[in-house]
Amino acid sequence: MEDQAGDSAVQAPGEVLGPLLDYLARRLRAELETELAPLGMKARHMIALTVLREFGERGQSDLGKALGMDPTNTVSLLNDLESQGLAERHRSPQDRRRHTVTITPAGCRRLAECEGIISRLEQRMFDIDAQQRTELHKLLVHCAASAAGGPESPAAGPMAVLPN
Amino acid sequence: MEDQAGDSAVQAPGEVLGPLLDYLARRLRAELETELAPLGMKARHMIALTVLREFGERGQSDLGKALGMDPTNTVSLLNDLESQGLAERHRSPQDRRRHTVTITPAGCRRLAECEGIISRLEQRMFDIDAQQRTELHKLLVHCAASAAGGPESPAAGPMAVLPN
DNA sequence: TATTGTTATACTCTATAACTATA
DNA sequence: TATAGTTATAGAGTATAACAATA
């Protein structure tokens, strides 16, 4: 809409999404970290637990790939979760090099708690109705799916991060 | 859609936006940095130039606020831009403590170049049509506007970052 | 005394290199 | 030899504290 006929063949230059995404992600993340801190949690702990709950047991490196993070950082992430009893590592009997990671009941409870927090936070922060939220979610999922298969795609399933 | 009747009174729990925004912003940013590197630019240089072009002269601290960044980091950001001749600092005659920042013609050219890059990148990365992009952009702008006035709003105009 | 910009510094996040153990 | 996990470490990015100049 209101395209300034001329370069609209490609894309309205003002409709660049990157900076907007960047700003919103930053803003939301900052707030979330504040609210999660009392629980000893950070955003990435929550995301990791989400993957584990939605997809069950996963190899440690698979989990790292799904989160789009470096394998070295996956180590300390799991150390955090394990020390709080939210997740567990087990050696795979088939291949004793591999670690199989699972979420614990305590992890499920903690995750539900966090989901309530972020859900309320988003409702407070973004003044959009249910329909708009659903539409936005749909578009973002679509983008994420195509980005996952885009240039130098990091792996098959970074988008496994988000259910739905 | 496909809401699992129960807690839908508040928000479908699966429709949490944060992790999605975070993922997309990260992904896009990573690609952009790669493509901008040959120009000696980073994402935040581009964003700063955008603000300067769209709103003209601004105080240094105002610029920092608009970008949602710490004043200390604004210093080095402007050092970068100034050393490349893309922006200029001038002391304000009214209040000699303040620095007034402007974009230079070279800065405008550089910015246009960057916009072409990010525009093409997004088209490559996100498999969405013009209509979807416009819709997504609209929703994101709406969210950004409300986030700016949300809890502990950092300042009036972080959203000045994006024209349109 | 308060504010703008600056420097120096510390802290967090992320990535690289090298090591262990398994295969 | 190659792979999964780990450790140690270096590099960004960001935030805190103290200072100079000006109001």
Side-chain angles (χ1 to χ4, degrees):
Chain A
M1 26 209 47
E2 63 255 34
D3 54 351
Q4 52 273 63
D7 41 12
S8 63
V10 186
Q11 171 186 327
E15 284 185 8
V16 160
L17 305 172
L20 264 172
L21 289 170
D22 205 71
Y23 173 74
L24 287 172
R26 274 162 144 262
R27 196 83 175 68
L28 194 55
R29 187 189 188 84
E31 299 283 344
L32 185 60
E33 302 274 273
T34 303
E35 300 205 22
L36 252 37
L39 292 171
M41 297 279 289
K42 300 217 165 184
R44 67 195 120 96
H45 297 131
M46 182 185 160
I47 299 177
L49 288 180
T50 304
V51 176
L52 290 173
R53 185 190 59 188
E54 299 300 320
F55 296 92
E57 287 193 6
R58 287 181 82 79
Q60 178 167 325
S61 61
D62 294 339
L63 180 63
K65 276 180 202 153
L67 271 68
M69 72 182 344
D70 197 273
T72 51
N73 300 322
T74 311
V75 176
S76 61
L77 175 68
L78 287 176
N79 287 349
D80 293 344
L81 293 176
E82 215 171 20
S83 70
Q84 291 194 63
L86 306 176
E88 285 173 357
R89 276 185 269 215
H90 305 281
R91 283 221 174 266
S92 165
Q94 286 80 18
D95 183 342
R96 290 184 39 74
R97 289 173 303 182
R98 310 194 91 224
H99 276 170
T100 290
V101 187
T102 56
I103 188 172
T104 66
C108 287
R109 287 193 298 274
R110 175 66 60 83
L111 179 54
E113 209 176 338
C114 293
E115 283 176 332
I117 289 174
I118 191 174
S119 183
R120 284 189 294 275
L121 175 59
E122 288 181 2
Q123 294 199 344
R124 226 182 325 133
M125 217 165 150
F126 303 150
D127 183 29
I128 54 178
D129 60 35
Q131 190 185 343
Q132 286 174 312
R133 180 185 306 275
T134 300
E135 176 67 13
L136 178 53
H137 186 265
K138 197 180 71 183
L139 286 167
L140 291 177
V141 167
H142 185 89
C143 284
S146 55
E152 43 184 284
S153 50
M159 250 326 67
V161 171
L162 278 302
N164 300 33
Chain B
M1 24 210 57
E2 62 255 34
D3 55 350
Q4 51 274 63
D7 40 12
S8 62
V10 186
Q11 171 186 328
E15 285 186 6
V16 159
L17 305 172
L20 264 172
L21 289 170
D22 204 71
Y23 173 74
L24 287 172
R26 272 162 145 264
R27 196 82 174 68
L28 193 56
R29 188 189 187 84
E31 299 283 343
L32 184 61
E33 301 275 274
T34 303
E35 300 205 21
L36 251 39
L39 292 171
M41 297 279 288
K42 300 218 164 184
R44 67 195 118 96
H45 297 130
M46 181 186 161
I47 299 177
L49 288 180
T50 304
V51 176
L52 290 173
R53 185 189 57 188
E54 299 300 320
F55 297 91
E57 287 194 5
R58 286 180 84 78
Q60 178 167 324
S61 61
D62 295 340
L63 180 62
K65 277 179 202 154
L67 272 68
M69 72 181 343
D70 197 274
T72 51
N73 300 321
T74 311
V75 176
S76 61
L77 175 68
L78 286 177
N79 287 348
D80 294 343
L81 293 176
E82 215 170 21
S83 70
Q84 291 192 64
L86 306 176
E88 285 173 357
R89 276 185 270 215
H90 306 281
R91 283 221 174 266
S92 164
Q94 285 81 17
D95 183 343
R96 288 185 41 73
R97 289 173 305 183
R98 310 193 91 220
H99 275 170
T100 290
V101 187
T102 56
I103 188 171
T104 65
C108 286
R109 286 194 299 274
R110 176 66 59 83
L111 179 53
E113 208 176 338
C114 292
E115 284 176 332
I117 289 174
I118 192 175
S119 182
R120 283 189 295 274
L121 175 59
E122 289 182 3
Q123 293 199 344
R124 229 182 322 134
M125 215 165 151
F126 303 150
D127 182 30
I128 55 178
D129 59 36
Q131 191 184 343
Q132 287 174 311
R133 180 185 307 273
T134 299
E135 176 68 13
L136 178 54
H137 186 265
K138 197 180 70 181
L139 287 167
L140 291 177
V141 167
H142 185 88
C143 284
S146 54
E152 41 185 285
S153 51
M159 249 326 66
V161 171
L162 278 302
N164 300 33

